[in-house]
Amino acid sequence: MNSLVLSFQEMEQSELSLVGGKGLNLGLLSKIQGIQVPDGFSVTTVGFRRAVEQNETYHTLLAMLSKLKPEDRNQIGEVSKEIRDVLLNVTIPSDVVEAVTHYLSRFGEEHAYAVRSSATAEDLPHASFAGQQDSYLHVIGKDSVLEHIRKCWASLFTDRAVIYRMQNGFDHSEVHISVIVQKMVSPQVSGILFTADPVSSNRKVVSIDAGYGLGEAFVSGLVTPDSYKVQDGIIIDKKIATKKLAIYGVNGGGTGTQPIPPDQQQAAALTDEQVIQLSRIGRKIEAHFGCPQDIEWCLEDGTFYIVQSRPITTLYPIPEAVDGENRVYLSVGHQQMMTDAMKPLGLSFFLLTTPAPMKVAGGRLFVDCTPRLASPASRKSFIKLMGKSEPLIKDAFTKIVEREGFIKTVEDEGKPAQAKAKVDPMVPDPAIVAELIKKSEASIEQLKQTIHSKTGSELIGFILEDMKELKRILFDPQSSRVIMAAMDALFWINDHMYKWLGEKNVADKLSQSVPNNITSEMGLALMDVADVIRPHQAVIDYLPQVKGDHFLDELVKVEGGREAREAIEDFLSKYGMRCSGEIDISRVRWSEKPTAIVPMILRNIQQFEPQESKRKFEQGRLEAIEKERELLERLSSLPDGEQKVKETKRRINIIRHFTGYREYPKYGMIHRYFVYKQALLNEAERLAEMNILKEKEDIFYLTFEELQDLVKTNKSKDDLIRKRKEEYDYNEKLTAPRVITSDGEIITGEYKREDLPAGAIAGLAVSSGVIEGRARVIVNMENADLEEGDILVTPYTDPSWTPLFVSIKGLVTEVGGLMTHGAVIAREYGLPAVVGVERATERIQDGQRIRVHGTEGYVEIL
C-alpha cells in the first residue's frame, strides 16, 4: 500500500519521483517544528502509472504528442483533449482505491478536502510549473475525491501544460503526476507570502498579500488583496484594498462567492501583529529550504496554516559577497553590449583579462562599485561619468547613495583629496594610432606562429602566459590616452557648441567616416565582397541555398565561384573571429560558421550599386568637413572668435584622428581569444578521442582552472559538465539587471525628462538627426530581415551587427551608452540613434512606423 499512497509524515526527501514537487514540499513542511500544515496524503506516481500502463489508447496518443512541436497548436489541442478524455474515464486500480479509503477514514471522511495535482517536474528550483495543472477545493466524500483524482491526472495534459513542457525540454512520457489530498481549513483570511519582494527582488523584504475567505478570490483576479511589506520585523509598507467579495466552501462540496459587509470592506484583513508573526513563519520556512519561498497560507481561528511552499524561480541570483556588508554591483554586459548568459569558459577568460573586481551571477559578470560610491572623493565624479555614458545607471546609483546608511561612507585617508590636475587631452602625434595597431597585429601574428606546437598542460600554461601580453596591449597607457583624448574632445565639442551656438550633439556629425575604425570598415568591407560577387549570377543563385559550413569548398564548382570564395576568405581572415556576443569565447565565430554572413552579402548585392562602400565613406567624410567649416565660420563672428576657433579646431582634429581607434583594442582582444579557442578545441578533440570528454564543445562548460585540471589529470568531469549545462539553460532565461545590490534588490533608473511629447518613449541621444521609417524588431541577428530604410530595434548590438548598419536608416536599442559600440558606429555612418530605451522590443511592434529623435533622445510611435 505504501508506495501507492503516502501521508505527508511518511514522505522523505528522496521521494520527488513518487510525490512530485508540490507533494514533497508539503511533506517537508509538515516536519518543521512549529509550522502548522493541514493533514493529508499523496496518491503517488506509482498509482498513476498503474492506472495507465495497460491502456493502449493512452500510449498511442502519447506517441503522437511527442512528435509535435510547440507551434503545432491545433494538433496539440486535439491530441491533448483525447488523452484527457481517456484519463477522465480510466479505471483507478483497486489497491489505489483501498489505500485512499484507508487515509480518508483516518483523517475523517466527512471532512472537506483540497485535491491538487503535483507533477514530477513541478516546483523545482529551475522550473516552476505553478498553475500548469489543476486544483479542486472543498471536495467532500470518497467518490467525489476519486473523481477529482482522475481530473487531476487529466490536467497533466491541458494544452498549456503540454506546450510548457515542450518549450522547457521535458519528455511527456517522463513527467508523471501524483495527487495531493489535503484537509481543508475554513479560513477567515488567506493569502500568499513571498520571502523576497517579487517586484524589486530584495531578499530582505517579505511581501504579504491577504484577503477574506479562500485565496482563490485574488489568485483568479476577482479581488484586490491587502498588501504588506516587512523588513527586519518592521512593516515598511501597507496598502489596504477595498475587498467586496470572498470565496468560501459550500455545504455539500465546492465553493461559492459571498459579498463582504460594507463596514468590513476597507478594514485590514490582518492586524500588524499577525503580519509580523506571518513574516517570521515565512523566514523560518525559507531557512529550512535554503532559498526564497512563495508560500500559500490560511488563518483559521487565530492559527496560521501553511498549505503550500515552493521556491521563487524568477529572482535574479545575487553576486556572492564575503563580508556581509551592503554592496552595489553594476552589470558588465550592459557596458559590453552582451547581456546574454555566458558559458563558464567565457566568464573565465573575461575574468582573467580584466583587472576590475568582478563577480559572477546568473551567468553574467558584475563589477563591485561599492568602493567608488563609498568614497566622497570619487563618488561624485564616478556618478557623473556614468551619467554621461548611461543616465539610467546614474539615476540608479543616485537612488542608492541617497538612502541613508545603505553604503557606509569611507573617509579617504590622509589629506583631503586634491582635485586631479586636468590632463591635456591632446596626444602629441596622430601617427601613434597606426603604431599601436601595428604592434597589436605583430603580436597576434607571433602568437599564431608559436601556439601551433603546444599541446596538453604546455598549451594551458602558454595561454596563461600569453594573456599577460594581451593585458599589456589592452591596457597600454598610450592606448588609453588616445581613447580618453577622443572622449574628452567629443564631450568638449558637445558642451561648448551648445553653450556658444545653441546646437546639440554637434560631435556626431564630426565623427562621420573617421579613419582607423576597424568595426565600421568591416561593414564597408562586406559591401566590397558583394561587389566581387555581383557580376556572377551563378554564384548569386547558389548562395541562398547553402546549408553546411563547408560551402566555400563547393563554391569553386560554380561559375565565378573561385573569385567569390577568395573575396569571402579575405574578409574572414580579417573579421572571421567576430560574432554576436563575441566577449564569450565559446560563441560560434563567422570563420566557424561562414553561412552567418551569406544573408548580409546577398542583401548588399540587392540593395546597393557597385562601389557603394567608397561613396558612403566619402559622403560621410565630406559632410564632416562641411560641418567643421560651418562651425568655425559661425564661431569666428562671436566675441573672442579667434580663440574659440583655435580651441574648437584642435578638438575636431583630435576627434578625426583618434575616435576611430576606440573600437580597435576590443578587436585585438577578440582576435586573440579566437586563436586561443582554436588551440583549445584541438586539445578538446584529443580529449574526446580518449573518451575524457563526450564532445569537444564540453570544454566551454568548465572554468579555465577546471580545464587545466582536466588536461593535467585526464579525469572525466561529465557530472560537472551536465550540471553546468542545466545551469546555463536556466541562466539563459533570466534578464540581467543593470544594477543589483547584495540584498538582491534590482535598482532601476529612470529618465528625469519633462520635455517629451505625449506618448514618446525616452532614451539616450547618441547620434543626431530625426528619421521616420518602419521598425524592424530583431532579437537575434541571424533572423534579420531588413530592407533599405528600415529602423533597427533590438536589445543590444555589438560589432558583429555592423554589416546590418549599412542598410538601415536609424537605430533603437534597449542597452547602450554614448560610447558603446552601436552609438560609435551609428555616428560614423550618420544614422540617427537612441539607446538605453527600456523594453523597446516589447513597446515597439515589428512593422510599426516610428520616428527616432537622435538629437533629443526619444522615439515616437506614429
Side-chain angles (χ1 to χ4, degrees):
M1 183 155 73
N2 251 6
S3 69
L4 296 173
V5 177
L6 294 170
S7 74
F8 295 161
Q9 291 296 325
E10 291 165 335
M11 291 175 191
E12 296 300 333
Q13 180 81 53
S14 59
E15 288 170 343
L16 175 70
S17 62
L18 281 181
V19 296
K22 202 178 278 183
L24 181 62
N25 285 358
L26 277 169
L28 299 174
L29 274 171
S30 67
K31 295 190 174 81
I32 305 173
Q33 194 75 37
I35 300 295
Q36 303 297 321
V37 178
D39 285 331
F41 59 88
S42 169
V43 179
T44 69
T45 54
V46 177
F48 169 69
R49 288 205 295 268
R50 190 79 66 79
V52 296
E53 65 192 350
Q54 302 299 324
N55 195 308
E56 284 177 25
T57 314
Y58 172 79
H59 291 291
T60 306
L61 291 166
L62 202 60
M64 287 166 67
L65 197 61
S66 66
K67 292 190 176 79
L68 301 177
K69 294 189 170 63
E71 48 273 21
D72 305 328
R73 299 279 162 131
N74 292 341
Q75 289 152 282
I76 288 170
E78 288 164 19
V79 179
S80 299
K81 185 183 180 308
E82 287 186 57
I83 297 178
R84 289 198 300 274
D85 290 343
V86 168
L87 292 174
L88 287 170
N89 295 296
V90 78
T91 303
I92 300 179
S94 58
D95 44 3
V96 175
V97 175
E98 195 183 312
V100 169
T101 310
H102 164 74
Y103 280 102
L104 285 176
S105 61
R106 188 171 135 192
F107 295 136
E109 205 174 316
E110 72 289 350
H111 273 297
Y113 287 85
V115 183
R116 290 175 161 165
S117 318
S118 177
T120 50
E122 188 174 38
D123 294 340
L124 305 179
H126 294 344
S128 171
F129 279 59
Q132 297 296 336
Q133 277 86 45
D134 292 345
S135 292
Y136 301 94
L137 300 180
H138 220 71
V139 177
I140 299 174
K142 184 185 84 173
D143 291 345
S144 188
V145 167
L146 291 168
E147 180 196 335
H148 284 88
I149 287 170
R150 283 195 199 90
K151 285 185 178 178
C152 285
W153 288 348
S155 76
L156 191 58
F157 292 94
T158 60
D159 293 8
R160 67 181 180 155
V162 167
I163 290 166
Y164 187 89
R165 286 199 294 272
M166 287 175 172
Q167 289 167 337
N168 286 276
F170 288 94
D171 180 343
H172 303 299
S173 63
E174 293 301 314
V175 178
H176 302 297
I177 195 163
S178 92
V179 179
I180 298 157
V181 181
Q182 185 176 26
K183 268 171 82 169
M184 286 285 295
V185 287
S186 302
Q188 288 82 41
V189 183
S190 57
I192 293 169
L193 180 158
F194 292 96
T195 64
D197 186 341
V199 178
S200 72
S201 294
N202 192 336
R203 310 310 203 264
K204 286 193 176 165
V205 173
V206 171
S207 173
I208 296 170
D209 284 354
Y212 296 125
L214 295 166
E216 304 307 293
F218 49 88
V219 170
S220 60
L222 202 61
V223 169
T224 302
D226 295 346
S227 126
Y228 305 87
K229 301 250 192 284
V230 183
Q231 185 167 0
D232 300 326
I234 296 162
I235 297 171
I236 56 169
D237 190 48
K238 183 197 294 192
K239 291 187 179 71
I240 306 302
T242 304
K243 302 168 287 293
K244 294 184 177 177
L245 296 169
I247 292 176
Y248 293 103
V250 178
N251 288 341
T255 58
T257 307
Q258 289 181 27
I260 301 292
D263 61 330
Q264 285 177 37
Q265 287 179 5
Q266 287 176 323
L270 294 172
T271 65
D272 286 2
E273 290 77 16
Q274 286 171 329
V275 169
I276 287 162
Q277 185 192 349
L278 193 53
S279 76
R280 286 197 194 109
I281 291 171
R283 285 284 179 237
K284 190 170 191 177
I285 294 169
E286 177 185 62
H288 181 82
F289 286 113
C291 66
Q293 296 288 301
D294 163 0
I295 298 164
E296 294 172 32
W297 57 269
C298 296
L299 178 66
E300 183 185 48
D301 302 333
T303 300
F304 283 110
Y305 291 93
I306 303 302
V307 293
Q308 191 45 257
S309 186
R310 63 174 73 89
I312 307 176
T313 56
T314 53
L315 296 174
Y316 196 86
I318 307 175
E320 206 173 293
V322 283
D323 57 5
E325 295 289 332
N326 290 338
R327 309 207 82 79
V328 182
Y329 301 100
L330 173 65
S331 159
V332 174
H334 285 77
Q335 316 300 299
Q336 289 292 337
M337 300 296 93
M338 159 57 174
T339 54
D340 299 351
M342 291 168 72
K343 294 191 178 115
L345 194 65
L347 292 165
S348 251
F349 264 95
F350 204 86
L351 285 166
L352 286 167
T353 307
T354 178
M358 287 189 186
K359 299 281 183 186
V360 176
R364 280 96 172 163
L365 291 163
F366 292 84
V367 177
D368 185 353
C369 296
T370 320
R372 304 292 291 274
L373 295 171
S375 152
S378 68
R379 179 188 298 153
K380 202 171 173 183
S381 58
F382 178 59
I383 292 177
K384 187 181 174 188
L385 181 70
M386 294 315 287
K388 273 187 169 170
S389 115
E390 209 182 326
L392 292 174
I393 290 173
K394 177 189 176 182
D395 188 56
F397 282 161
T398 305
K399 281 180 182 173
I400 291 167
V401 167
E402 285 171 356
R403 282 187 190 173
E404 204 130 322
F406 185 79
I407 295 177
K408 284 183 189 165
T409 296
V410 177
E411 291 305 335
D412 300 281
E413 291 174 19
K415 299 172 196 157
Q418 297 290 316
K420 283 188 186 162
K422 193 124 179 76
V423 179
D424 182 356
M426 186 58 183
V427 176
D429 182 4
I432 192 172
V433 171
E435 213 175 289
L436 286 165
I437 290 172
K438 196 171 150 194
K439 266 202 278 190
S440 173
E441 285 180 351
S443 171
I444 288 169
E445 221 29 65
Q446 174 66 41
L447 165 68
K448 284 179 182 172
Q449 300 302 322
T450 321
I451 202 167
H452 276 305
S453 60
K454 314 288 180 194
T455 60
S457 291
E458 192 190 1
L459 170 66
I460 304 291
F462 175 78
I463 290 174
L464 266 180
E465 195 56 35
D466 188 76
M467 289 198 80
K468 292 178 187 169
E469 172 74 354
L470 164 60
K471 288 196 268 196
R472 193 184 62 71
I473 293 169
L474 204 51
F475 305 114
D476 181 335
Q478 283 190 309
S479 178
S480 306
R481 212 171 295 133
V482 168
I483 292 166
M484 287 311 297
M487 282 172 69
D488 286 347
L490 190 136
F491 291 138
W492 189 96
I493 288 282
N494 279 345
D495 292 346
H496 285 77
M497 295 309 102
Y498 186 58
K499 191 162 81 179
W500 292 340
L501 300 174
E503 195 175 335
K504 281 187 178 177
N505 298 342
V506 169
D508 297 357
K509 205 61 150 178
L510 299 169
S511 306
Q512 287 186 190
S513 299
V514 294
N516 293 316
N517 187 320
I518 189 80
T519 308
S520 62
E521 284 167 5
M522 172 173 75
L524 301 175
L526 204 57
M527 295 171 92
D528 294 341
V529 174
D531 283 356
V532 172
I533 293 172
R534 194 176 279 106
H536 304 293
Q537 191 58 46
V539 176
I540 296 171
D541 294 340
Y542 170 76
L543 284 177
Q545 297 147 41
V546 299
K547 288 272 191 296
D549 291 313
H550 302 293
F551 76 91
L552 290 172
D553 299 334
E554 299 296 310
L555 191 55
V556 290
K557 298 173 187 170
V558 179
E559 194 186 336
R562 199 166 291 281
E563 294 90 322
R565 182 170 89 164
E566 210 168 286
I568 292 170
E569 282 178 341
D570 282 351
F571 176 84
L572 291 174
S573 71
K574 189 164 185 184
Y575 303 110
M577 76 298 293
R578 309 224 88 152
C579 68
S580 182
E582 61 188 11
I583 63 167
D584 180 352
I585 199 170
S586 72
R587 289 284 186 115
V588 177
R589 312 281 142 177
W590 289 343
S591 283
E592 296 169 310
K593 189 184 178 182
T595 48
I597 64 170
V598 170
M600 298 188 268
I601 295 169
L602 290 168
R603 195 178 301 115
N604 287 345
I605 292 169
Q606 288 159 6
Q607 293 180 2
F608 301 115
E609 295 295 314
Q611 303 294 306
E612 180 65 27
S613 71
K614 291 174 184 60
R615 275 196 298 279
K616 210 174 181 66
F617 186 84
E618 188 56 17
Q619 183 191 342
R621 195 182 70 83
L622 293 173
E623 282 177 18
I625 290 168
E626 176 53 31
K627 187 68 192 173
E628 177 181 353
R629 190 199 58 71
E630 176 224 315
L631 287 175
L632 300 180
E633 195 176 288
R634 285 164 66 194
L635 289 170
S636 64
S637 61
L638 298 178
D640 282 341
E642 198 178 324
Q643 184 58 27
K644 287 186 169 81
V645 165
K646 190 179 164 191
E647 287 183 16
T648 303
K649 175 87 178 132
R650 192 162 75 90
R651 274 13 182 262
I652 292 172
N653 280 342
I654 293 171
I655 288 174
R656 297 296 302 166
H657 283 122
F658 299 139
T659 302
Y661 176 74
R662 193 183 189 291
E663 292 282 304
Y664 192 85
K666 186 177 180 186
Y667 167 83
M669 175 180 107
I670 297 303
H671 200 158
R672 231 176 174 89
Y673 274 13
F674 186 47
V675 179
Y676 299 154
K677 180 187 181 181
Q678 288 172 302
L680 288 172
L681 281 174
N682 287 338
E683 183 62 23
E685 206 159 331
R686 187 180 68 81
L687 293 166
E689 281 164 13
M690 293 161 65
N691 291 324
I692 295 160
L693 287 172
K694 284 209 167 90
E695 50 191 13
K696 62 179 182 177
E697 285 79 10
D698 282 353
I699 59 166
F700 300 144
Y701 295 95
L702 299 173
T703 64
F704 192 79
E705 294 74 18
E706 288 160 355
L707 179 58
Q708 193 170 15
D709 182 62
L710 180 82
V711 169
K712 191 170 142 191
T713 63
N714 282 341
K715 281 188 184 154
S716 154
K717 293 185 186 286
D718 286 350
D719 289 348
L720 177 63
I721 289 165
R722 188 169 57 250
K723 182 170 161 268
R724 289 280 172 72
K725 286 180 178 178
E726 285 171 12
E727 282 170 8
Y728 177 73
D729 289 346
Y730 171 66
N731 290 336
E732 266 194 312
K733 297 182 181 86
L734 297 170
T735 301
R738 276 183 175 79
V739 177
I740 187 169
T741 71
S742 47
D743 293 341
E745 184 181 2
I746 293 168
I747 312 286
T748 50
E750 292 148 72
Y751 290 104
K752 305 286 198 301
R753 304 270 300 266
E754 310 283 306
D755 57 340
L756 296 182
I761 307 172
L764 176 66
V766 294
S767 185
S768 294
V770 179
I771 202 78
E772 276 182 30
R774 176 178 71 155
R776 290 320 310 260
V777 179
I778 294 166
V779 177
N780 184 338
M781 184 183 148
E782 287 181 9
N783 304 333
D785 177 20
L786 290 161
E787 289 174 21
E788 197 176 3
D790 283 343
I791 295 169
L792 174 61
V793 181
T794 188
Y796 65 81
T797 66
D798 62 9
S800 70
W801 290 68
T802 304
L804 299 180
F805 282 29
V806 296
S807 36
I808 58 173
K809 62 178 180 184
L811 175 70
V812 178
T813 67
E814 295 178 340
V815 173
L818 194 61
M819 296 309 291
T820 47
H821 154 264
V824 172
I825 304 302
R827 289 195 288 275
E828 186 154 334
Y829 283 176
L831 301 172
V834 180
V835 302
V837 180
E838 289 277 71
R839 299 185 0 265
T841 55
E842 295 167 36
R843 292 154 85 181
I844 299 167
Q845 302 295 309
D846 187 53
Q848 276 182 329
R849 255 195 106 59
I850 61 172
R851 186 183 296 131
V852 176
H853 293 259
T855 313
E856 300 293 335
Y858 63 89
V859 180
E860 289 180 287
I861 297 171
L862 303 177

